[in-house]
Structures are given as C-alpha cells and as structure tokens.
Amino acid sequence: MRLRIELLGVTKVASFNINGVKARLPRLLEWLEETRPAVACLQEIKSQDEGFPIAEFEKLGYKGIWHGQKGFNGVAILADGEMPEEVQRGLDGEPEDDHSRYLEANVFGLRVVCIYLPNGNPVPGPKFDYKLRWMKRLRDRMAAIRAEEVPAIVTGDFNVIPTDRDVWSPQAMASDALMQPESRDAYFRLLGDGWTDAIATHNPAGGVWTYWDYQAGAWQRDHGFRIDHALLSPELADRLAACGVDKAHRGREKASDHAPVWVELRD
DNA sequence: ATGTCGAGGGATCCTCGA
C-alpha cells in the first residue's frame, strides 16, 4: 500500500510537456514513480486517441482521460487512483479548429484544466493570429470558470514568456511569438482577471526556466525560458504550499525539451 | 553561422511542427 498523498495534507498537481508520449514513455513512467503527483497534466502527446498507452499508467495506479490527434498536439489528465470527470474538451468560439489543445476535468475536488497553447511562430502570420485568437477563447473560458467560484488550476504549456526575467536572453528571443507584446498582454489579461501565476509568485526575481531547446547546446549553456505555467483561481491561491520545476529530468537520456512544473496545494 | 527532436508517409529520406 502506497503512502497516500492526503496524509501529507497536500495535493500535488504537475504539468509536463512530454513531446511525444510513445517516445517519452520510459522517462514519463519514471517521473510519475519518482515524483508521484496526484494529478499529471500532459501536453504534446503526439498520439491519436487509440494509441495512448493508458495501460502503462494504470499499472502505476493512475487513471486518465486524453484528447489526441495524429502527429502533433494532444493533451491528457492523469490522476492517482481517481478517474478525472471530464468537463470539456476543446474551446468554444471556432468550430473549424480541430487542434487537440484543451482538456478540463474535476478531480480530487479541484477543477483542473490542461492546455497546450499554440506556439504562434512565425510572426507575423496566420499561426500568430491563431495563437492570439486562441488566447482570447481561453480567457473567455477561464472567466466562466472564475464565475463558478470553484478551486481551479489552469496548467500546461502556455507558450508565453511572461517577462524579460523569464528568459536567458530577451534579445535572442525578441522576434519570437513567445514574447511578443501581444502574447504577453493576453497572458497578463488572464492574471488581471484574478488568476495567480504560482511560479512567478514564489520566484519574483525570475531566472526559472521550464524549457531548453534541443539545438545549439541550450541545455548545457542553460539557455532556457519559462513557458510552462500553473495559474490558480482565488479559491486555490491561498492554498499554495510549494511549487517548483523538476529541472533534473530535462538532463536525462532521451528527455523532453521541457521540464515538469508542479504545485502543492494544502487540502 | 550552425548545432535537434518526434511523427508520419512512404521509403531507407523527406516534410512538417516545434
């Protein structure tokens, strides 16, 4: 019998852009066993629904829901010993949008939203326009969740570098969609609506990265930035006990280009 | 200036997306 996390008085919710669930499976299973989050939100599973290896997670005691598609994108929510109750998949407002980037569920008394926000490069262009429209649609949905006054967390790969303190070199990234003023404005509008950026709150000086490119020796040089976030509703913000980045997992063999982020919420 | 992955289609490489 595993030590139940409830005994510790906290619920750990983690997010991990895994960059391919099949390619990453050994690393992902090892991360779940070592860090044992109550809830794990996954992005970029890059798998169709029928190819998602749920049986491997069930062996570790996790249950889950997922929203995949062929080739790229795809999100999932796993929970330790409890089946997430799905609330919504996909965002309203653009019926022709067939990207699998949004999954929302109730689990462990929390509303958990797992997102993979569009990258938006190159700028300008249709992909950047899509990113900004998607952020508007996300804001609308998050406002509706706020109105429900439930303890809620929106976590995942936001593909937004919030401030210059969140990137190793603002100059090197200046033309990137991740830190355009429009991207940042849309992100800070979410915070202005009452959501708390957990990692930023606990690390006001910045310098925390969640992503290091595979190219140009970015990991070895610590050329990273912070784009994976956990946003807490007012009902949850006061319950934030700790948060962090599992940075060491980025340095392992066959690692994702992202490191997991996590929060611990007092019960 | 450049440096890498993962998936998919169709082929022992190319394209796309990041």
Side-chain angles (χ1 to χ4, degrees), chain A residues 58-125:
Chain A
E58 287 174 342
K59 285 181 195 165
L60 298 183
Y62 283 89
K63 302 175 189 294
I65 58 175
W66 57 95
H67 187 199
Q69 74 179 93
K70 186 188 283 188
F72 64 117
N73 301 328
V75 286
I77 300 175
L78 306 179
D80 186 2
E82 182 172 308
M83 185 66 183
E85 176 203 356
E86 184 169 322
V87 175
Q88 182 169 315
R89 56 179 58 203
L91 287 168
D92 293 337
E94 202 163 319
E96 63 277 20
D97 180 6
D98 58 359
H99 287 201
S100 298
R101 299 180 175 276
Y102 183 96
L103 193 56
E104 175 181 337
N106 290 318
V107 65
F108 296 125
L110 305 174
R111 181 69 56 83
V112 175
V113 179
C114 174
I115 71 162
Y116 176 48
L117 204 148
N119 174 293
N121 281 302
V123 180

Side-chain angles (χ1 to χ4, degrees), chain A residues 157-180:
Chain A
D157 179 357
F158 282 68
N159 268 317
V160 175
I161 298 168
T163 75
D164 285 357
R165 300 183 302 280
D166 300 306
V167 56
W168 99 95
S169 169
Q171 292 73 26
M173 294 291 291
S175 63
D176 198 286
L178 308 192
M179 52 176 278
Q180 291 311 296

Side-chain angles (χ1 to χ4, degrees), chain A residues 146-162:
Chain A
R146 281 276 285 109
E148 292 187 53
E149 299 185 344
V150 290
I153 174 169
V154 180
T155 190
D157 179 357
F158 282 68
N159 268 317
V160 175
I161 298 168

Side-chain angles (χ1 to χ4, degrees), chain A residues 42-58:
Chain A
L42 308 178
Q43 304 88 37
E44 281 206 90
I45 63 175
K46 294 187 176 180
S47 165
Q48 298 186 81
D49 282 339
E50 53 270 33
F52 188 75
I54 186 62
E56 299 295 323
F57 305 123
E58 287 174 342

